[in-house]
Amino acid sequence: MKKMKPVRLAAGRHVRFTTVFAVFILAVVLLAAFFPSLLTGYDPLEIDMKNKLAGPTADHWLGTDEYGRDLWCRIVYGARTSMAVGFGSALLAMLIGVPLGLVAGFYGGVLDSVIMRMMDAFYSFPSIMLALLLMTIFEPSATTLILTIAIVSFPAYGRIVRSSVLSIKEREFIEAARAFGARPGYLLFRAVLPNCASGIIVQFSLFTASAILVEASLSFLGLGIRPPAPAWGSMLSYAKQYIDRSTTYILVPAAAIFLVVLAINLLGDELREWLDPTRQK
């Protein structure tokens, strides 16, 4: 059996099957998040007790839940929640963690010690326990989820950026810019930050996948999006009660979470290779 060759691009790059798969999955999920009505004609809150826990049919491709609601429809509308929380929390964590990491790594000294000790304080708590605490204190909502996951995640951004800055600020082009009288602000945002961009982009993709898993976990525990609003984690939580009556019910949200997280991780790995100059051929 012949091995499938990757598609060669004009610039000499190769596009692997896994990358095409990841882009396709994410394109479908983003389409569902922004234009759900294009993918389903059902209302995610419409109840039909006559068809509860039904298997896949021509009318309901993936079956129905305990209230007769169409599972495909709820998965499609649930994509909006997962994508909003995933991208929103990863972006907010980046906006908090990246500046702190830049300042700590570039200026060093007491400022570096203060910032890093603050991040160590956040790291001293298990992330899931801190998320559970915050979600218990505040009213569960998409906004609360975004803030909670961002607070849990931003120290990781800061540490990654700081380690990059420590190596970049000692390079020859930074020393040359200093010799020509470049100000610290100029060096930080025009010379150091652009050289950290590739690592930040890769970490953003990976943190997005992690945030989707955290959102699903919190919703599974009843601390995320409140029903009847569709959310993959809460769908999985309710489905476990009916696993002996409908296998499809629990497989559908589990498969949605698995495929999206897998696609984001695959794309993140591809971005790491594309943006790493040492791996370019």
Side-chain angles (χ1 to χ4, degrees):
M1 183 176 181
K2 293 184 178 180
K3 186 177 180 181
M4 182 179 292
K5 295 182 179 180
V7 179
R8 181 180 293 274
L9 298 180
R13 292 282 191 178
H14 293 87
V15 177
R16 293 178 294 199
F17 171 77
T18 53
T19 305
V20 176
F21 168 80
V23 171
F24 173 76
I25 293 295
L26 290 178
V28 172
V29 173
L30 290 175
L31 180 64
F34 286 102
F35 307 103
S37 59
L38 294 179
L39 299 179
T40 177
Y42 286 99
D43 183 341
L45 305 181
E46 182 181 354
I47 295 175
D48 182 8
M49 296 303 292
K50 293 181 180 179
N51 290 316
K52 63 180 182 179
L53 298 175
T57 63
D59 293 328
H60 303 286
W61 299 347
L62 300 178
T64 60
D65 65 6
E66 71 273 27
Y67 294 106
R69 296 173 298 196
D70 184 74
L71 285 179
W72 167 249
C73 178
R74 290 182 65 77
I75 287 294
V76 168
Y77 278 87
R80 178 178 297 174
T81 300
S82 293
M83 291 296 102
V85 172
F87 283 105
S89 56
L91 179 61
L92 182 58
M94 181 179 69
L95 293 177
I96 298 172
V98 169
L100 289 175
L102 283 172
V103 171
F106 188 79
Y107 290 102
V110 176
L111 191 58
D112 181 27
S113 298
V114 171
I115 292 175
M116 294 313 298
R117 296 299 77 77
M118 179 190 68
M119 293 186 180
D120 289 341
F122 278 94
Y123 265 120
S124 65
F125 292 91
S127 59
I128 190 65
M129 294 301 295
L130 181 58
L132 287 171
L133 176 63
L134 293 173
M135 290 303 297
T136 303
I137 295 173
F138 300 103
E139 182 180 355
S141 66
T143 302
T144 307
L145 277 171
I146 291 173
L147 291 174
T148 298
I149 299 172
I151 290 172
V152 169
S153 303
F154 87 86
Y157 270 108
R159 283 175 171 270
I160 292 168
V161 173
R162 175 182 177 271
S163 64
S164 298
V165 172
L166 288 176
S167 62
I168 292 171
K169 74 175 186 178
E170 302 299 332
R171 293 182 181 177
E172 292 79 2
F173 69 92
I174 298 294
E175 295 297 331
R178 283 199 180 105
F180 280 102
R183 295 181 179 180
Y186 177 88
L187 289 174
L188 190 61
F189 293 103
R190 297 296 299 273
V192 176
L193 180 58
N195 283 278
C196 298
S198 60
I200 294 171
I201 293 171
V202 171
Q203 290 304 319
F204 177 81
S205 67
L206 299 178
F207 277 121
T208 300
S210 177
I212 291 173
L213 283 177
V214 173
E215 182 274 325
S217 301
L218 292 174
S219 295
F220 181 83
L221 295 174
L223 297 174
I225 304 300
R226 292 288 180 86
W232 295 347
S234 59
M235 289 175 64
L236 199 59
S237 177
Y238 283 96
K240 74 179 189 298
Q241 305 174 40
Y242 305 97
I243 191 171
D244 57 333
R245 297 176 58 186
S246 176
T247 307
T248 308
Y249 187 9
I250 198 168
L251 288 178
V252 168
I257 296 170
F258 169 76
L259 288 174
V260 170
V261 172
L262 176 64
I264 294 175
N265 282 326
L266 290 174
L267 196 58
D269 290 340
E270 185 68 16
L271 283 172
R272 182 187 291 113
E273 292 189 9
W274 277 53
L275 296 175
D276 185 356
T278 63
R279 298 189 180 187
Q280 295 179 6
K281 295 182 180 181

